[in-house]
């Protein structure tokens, strides 16, 4: 089984970016934890980050050719991007939406996600563990 862990804009800044909201774990540490968890669950993990909407769309389209599923934190594009939603709809593999922060406890514009309806499920508010929960759920679904 192969899984893409995909991070959107500004997530490369994790560790120093608003740690009171996003925690102090760096992106490289999340990627390391997910790679180890993947080994434990029997999944090969590839991690990618892009600050660009088109780069994320390219990664999703490419994942269609090699991955069994995607764990995706679209960052701020969650709330704005019809193009990312269309890309998720266009690929036949399951995508799980994850967020470090509890978006419902924040500004109202973060309460809307344009992508949730085309994702298999959503995890929000558990810090880096949102990725862990998302990955576990995705692997279980694919195995089933
Ligand atoms: C985020 C939440 C988004 O609203 C925000 O724009 C981000 C990070 C999160 O992981 O909590 O960049 O996706």
């Amino acid at each position: 089984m192969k899984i893409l862990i995909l991070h959107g804009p500004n997530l490369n800044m994790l560790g120093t970016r608003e740690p009171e909201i996003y925690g102090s774990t760096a992106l490289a540490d999340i990627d390391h934890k997910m790679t180890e968890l993947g080994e434990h669950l029997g999944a090969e993990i590839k991690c990618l980050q892009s600050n660009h909407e088109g780069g994320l769309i390219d990664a999703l389209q490419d994942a269609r050719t090699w991955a069994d599923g995607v764990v995706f934190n679209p960052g701020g594009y969650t709330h704005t991007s019809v193009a990312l939603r269309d890309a998720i709809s266009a690929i036949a593999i399951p995508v799980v939406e994850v967020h470090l922060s509890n978006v419902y406890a924040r500004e109202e514009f973060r309460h809307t996600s344009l992508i949730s309806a085309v994702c298999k499920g959503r995890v929000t508010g558990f810090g880096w563990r949102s990725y862990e929960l998302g990955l576990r759920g995705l692997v279980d679904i694919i195995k089933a």
Side-chain angles (χ1 to χ4, degrees):
M1 187 190 306
K2 293 188 173 126
I3 304 289
L4 172 64
I5 309 278
L6 186 59
H7 314 277
N10 300 306
L11 294 167
N12 55 313
M13 307 276 293
L14 284 181
T16 55
R17 175 194 181 197
E18 299 178 278
E20 65 288 357
I21 296 174
Y22 297 116
S24 53
T25 307
L27 190 67
D29 296 329
I30 295 178
D31 288 347
H32 183 69
K33 287 175 197 289
M34 292 311 109
T35 303
E36 283 198 332
L37 178 61
E39 266 170 39
H40 175 70
L41 298 173
E44 198 180 306
I45 305 294
K46 182 174 166 186
C47 303
L48 271 177
Q49 188 273 334
S50 176
N51 287 325
H52 308 281
E53 196 173 17
L56 295 167
I57 292 167
D58 287 345
L60 287 165
Q61 290 183 5
D62 185 52
R64 198 176 124 257
T65 66
W66 64 268
D68 299 293
V70 183
V71 174
F72 187 23
N73 183 350
Y77 287 136
T78 307
H79 320 295
T80 63
S81 180
V82 173
L84 275 177
R85 179 199 172 105
D86 288 348
I88 294 167
S89 284
I91 61 176
I93 55 174
V95 177
V96 172
E97 176 187 358
V98 300
H99 300 282
L100 297 139
S101 63
N102 177 359
V103 288
Y104 297 109
R106 302 182 63 195
E107 302 95 327
E108 207 167 328
F109 66 84
R110 295 186 205 274
H111 299 185
T112 301
S113 167
L114 295 191
I115 73 157
S116 292
V118 291
C119 288
K120 198 76 192 166
R122 182 182 213 221
V123 185
T124 184
F126 294 92
W128 66 265
R129 288 180 182 81
S130 291
Y131 286 87
E132 170 174 354
L133 296 167
L135 180 58
R136 284 184 186 276
L138 180 63
V139 168
D140 276 0
I141 280 171
I142 294 166
K143 279 185 182 164

